[in-house]
Amino acid sequence: MKPYLLQMLKEIALLGGVRNTIEVSSVELADQLNTSQQTASRYLLELDKKEFIHREFGIKKQRITITDNGLHALEDEYSQYKQIFDLESKVCFKGVAVSGMGEGKYYTNQPGYIQQFQQLLQFTPHPGTFNVEITPIERNKLRLLKNVGGLEIEEFTTKNRTFGSVLCFPASVNGVKGAIVLPRRSHYSTIIEVISPHYLRERLAIKDGDPVEVMVFLKKK
Amino acid sequence: MKPYLLQMLKEIALLGGVRNTIEVSSVELADQLNTSQQTASRYLLELDKKEFIHREFGIKKQRITITDNGLHALEDEYSQYKQIFDLESKVCFKGVAVSGMGEGKYYTNQPGYIQQFQQLLQFTPHPGTFNVEITPIERNKLRLLKNVGGLEIEEFTTKNRTFGSVLCFPASVNGVKGAIVLPRRSHYSTIIEVISPHYLRERLAIKDGDPVEVMVFLKKK
DNA sequence: ATTACTAAGCAGCGAGTAA
DNA sequence: TTTACTCGCTGCTTAGTAA
């Protein structure tokens, strides 16, 4: 939807056009939008044609109601703004399921990690990680997470080697509880690793390439 | 602010550009907005020039942060959407204070009205009404109020005459408690009449022509 | 009063390209 | 790789005006 049409739809909504009929002339709407009567009229024609509003003509002014279609458009926009101002409490990643190379299983079987997961997350992770590939542009949100800070999993040493520290955030994958795991060392990649008390791949009935939504929860300040 | 610039600002915010720096190229932003690299670049120049964002250039990509200015623009937009979806619980009118012709005092001194006000609103109105002139376009919101319904003040008869029924809504004027009064008979005018336990004109230190904000509260369903 | 057409002008778009 | 310039073209805007 063209941004200028959405703007007009918003204006109609603010005047009470949601589940209610308003009576306005194209001149009045033009004034509200700081534009000409002709442009307001054209916008109304476009909104009508695209079924975002319904119009009836009287002898003067016109009666306008926002359709379900139009209401959905407004709701979508609203939810984006809610997300922006909610970004300090939760961050949403959209991606697709991918297979790792089994290293996830190796790490999540280390007692040194398992104990800390149990303590900080109050669950025992199912062996292995569930990997989600995100678009490069969403890596910016990973940076955001590191800036805000999360649960610190400390490094530890076994007789064989050292396991590095990890930053961890409670999360959900398509609504199922878990946590995401960001190794401190590695640079931001386009793969998010998720651990969960459940075997996510089975629980969500997901195979490689399926779209998934990862919601990451930040600790409130 | 041009709607298409706001759209881009919103996109930057969704990527985490609020109180945080993101690294994106103009091509990536163009992809997000379904437009060309050139257009994305131009938008960034405009947003920068108008101080909605701050930019730094690295060897690749650019580091972008939303300025306070930009954040305000987003907050304004957000609050408008909040208002739309809150319209079923409260409606806001902006107008200016005007003087009536004293009839307000006559009506608000009628015991038949006073008793009902006390019962439905839990306060005794200060004699007289506080009148607010709204723009003709906002009369649509009055229609909305009548559709939703409010507190019914019933008509009554004295030995001299009949006083008509009135629709009434709890409200506040610049934050001070009161109620608006819509005579059932009269057609929508551009004057809102407000009653209040306080002498609003004095309490708010307001004279004719001063801008006021009337917030009307609807009963929840 | 109203809506909305036509026509002309101008702003925004993006291909090509420089740095 | 980047960003952002020029410039031709498209499409949005608005004055004038009909209905």
Side-chain angles (χ1 to χ4, degrees):
Chain A
M1 174 157 203
K2 291 171 188 161
Y4 59 82
L5 286 185
L6 191 66
Q7 204 196 24
M8 173 145 219
L9 195 62
K10 185 190 74 184
E11 212 59 56
I12 294 170
L14 283 168
L15 292 170
V18 178
R19 286 187 270 278
N20 184 67
T21 299
I22 61 170
E23 278 181 24
V24 276
S25 71
S26 52
V27 178
E28 287 173 320
L29 283 171
D31 288 348
Q32 294 285 314
L33 294 170
N34 277 83
T35 185
S36 66
Q37 173 272 323
Q38 291 89 334
T39 294
S41 181
R42 192 160 34 78
Y43 285 2
L44 288 172
L45 283 168
E46 286 185 64
L47 285 171
D48 194 358
K49 193 175 168 193
K50 301 206 169 90
E51 309 242 270
F52 288 118
I53 59 171
H54 179 252
R55 301 202 290 167
E56 282 169 34
F57 294 88
I59 184 70
K60 49 186 300 197
K61 317 225 172 183
Q62 48 187 298
R63 309 176 37 111
I64 302 177
T65 316
I66 292 177
T67 61
D68 287 353
N69 211 359
L71 188 56
H72 285 144
L74 290 167
E75 281 166 349
D76 281 355
E77 191 73 5
Y78 181 41
S79 84
Q80 294 197 328
Y81 277 96
K82 273 197 289 199
Q83 210 172 108
I84 289 172
F85 293 100
D86 235 25
L87 222 51
E88 267 134 50
S89 74
K90 61 177 188 252
V91 179
C92 175
F93 294 87
K94 287 180 204 301
V96 296
V98 291
S99 289
M101 285 164 298
E103 347 78 73
K105 203 158 217 155
Y106 174 59
Y107 289 106
T108 51
N109 274 330
Q110 294 301 322
Y113 280 138
I114 293 178
Q115 278 167 28
Q116 292 192 69
F117 286 147
Q118 287 171 332
Q119 199 188 330
L120 291 172
L121 296 166
Q122 275 81 49
F123 69 74
T124 304
H126 184 277
T129 57
F130 180 75
N131 298 327
V132 177
E133 173 151 37
I134 59 173
T135 59
I137 207 169
E138 291 214 311
R139 280 184 305 175
N140 286 294
K141 297 184 191 169
L142 290 178
R143 188 191 330 277
L144 185 77
L145 293 185
K146 283 215 180 171
N147 284 352
V148 176
L151 306 169
E152 306 277 352
I153 306 284
E154 276 158 35
E155 69 166 24
F156 61 92
T157 308
T158 66
K159 55 177 177 267
N160 299 311
R161 57 164 284 192
T162 292
F163 292 88
S165 63
V166 166
L167 188 61
C168 195
F169 295 87
S172 72
V173 182
N174 287 5
V176 177
K177 178 186 166 175
I180 71 163
V181 158
L182 304 173
R184 277 284 186 199
R185 295 293 141 137
S186 83
H187 222 271
Y188 309 112
S189 84
T190 54
I191 306 288
I192 303 181
E193 298 189 80
V194 185
I195 58 175
S196 169
H198 311 285
Y199 179 37
L200 287 173
R201 215 160 254 274
E202 193 176 279
R203 169 72 181 262
L204 298 168
I206 270 175
K207 57 185 191 307
D208 280 5
D210 286 348
V212 293
E213 191 178 278
V214 180
M215 191 67 83
V216 178
F217 304 100
L218 307 184
K219 54 182 175 193
K220 325 102 180 107
K221 293 172 197 149
Chain B
M1 174 160 203
K2 291 170 187 163
Y4 60 83
L5 286 186
L6 192 66
Q7 203 195 26
M8 174 147 220
L9 196 61
K10 185 190 73 183
E11 211 60 56
I12 294 170
L14 283 168
L15 292 170
V18 178
R19 285 187 270 278
N20 186 156
T21 300
I22 62 171
E23 280 181 22
V24 277
S25 71
S26 52
V27 178
E28 287 172 321
L29 282 171
D31 287 351
Q32 294 284 314
L33 293 170
N34 279 85
T35 186
S36 67
Q37 174 271 323
Q38 290 90 334
T39 294
S41 181
R42 208 180 49 251
Y43 285 2
L44 288 172
L45 283 168
E46 286 186 63
L47 285 171
D48 194 357
K49 192 176 168 190
K50 303 204 167 94
E51 308 242 272
F52 288 118
I53 59 171
H54 178 251
R55 302 201 291 167
E56 283 169 32
F57 294 88
I59 183 72
K60 48 186 306 199
K61 317 225 172 180
Q62 47 186 300
R63 314 186 71 223
I64 301 178
T65 315
I66 292 177
T67 61
D68 287 352
N69 211 0
L71 188 56
H72 285 142
L74 290 167
E75 280 165 350
D76 281 356
E77 191 72 6
Y78 181 41
S79 84
Q80 294 198 327
Y81 277 96
K82 273 198 290 199
Q83 209 172 109
I84 289 172
F85 292 100
D86 235 24
L87 222 49
E88 267 134 49
S89 75
K90 60 175 188 255
V91 178
C92 175
F93 293 87
K94 288 181 206 299
V96 296
V98 291
S99 289
M101 284 165 298
E103 345 79 77
K105 203 156 216 153
Y106 173 60
Y107 290 106
T108 51
N109 275 329
Q110 294 301 320
Y113 281 138
I114 292 177
Q115 278 166 30
Q116 293 190 70
F117 287 147
Q118 286 172 333
Q119 198 186 333
L120 291 171
L121 296 166
Q122 274 81 50
F123 68 75
T124 304
H126 184 277
T129 57
F130 180 75
N131 298 328
V132 177
E133 173 149 39
I134 58 172
T135 60
I137 207 169
E138 291 213 312
R139 279 184 306 175
N140 284 294
K141 298 183 190 169
L142 290 178
R143 189 190 328 277
L144 184 78
L145 293 184
K146 283 215 182 168
N147 284 351
V148 175
L151 306 169
E152 307 279 352
I153 306 284
E154 277 157 37
E155 67 165 29
F156 60 91
T157 308
T158 65
K159 55 176 176 266
N160 299 313
R161 56 164 284 193
T162 293
F163 291 87
S165 62
V166 165
L167 189 60
C168 194
F169 295 86
S172 72
V173 182
N174 287 6
V176 176
K177 178 184 168 176
I180 70 164
V181 160
L182 304 174
R184 277 285 186 202
R185 293 293 141 136
S186 81
H187 223 271
Y188 309 111
S189 82
T190 54
I191 306 288
I192 304 182
E193 297 189 81
V194 186
I195 57 175
S196 167
H198 310 284
Y199 180 36
L200 287 172
R201 215 160 254 274
E202 192 177 279
R203 169 71 181 261
L204 297 169
I206 269 175
K207 56 186 192 304
D208 278 5
D210 285 348
V212 292
E213 191 179 277
V214 180
M215 189 69 81
V216 178
F217 305 100
L218 307 184
K219 56 181 173 195
K220 325 98 179 110
K221 297 183 194 134

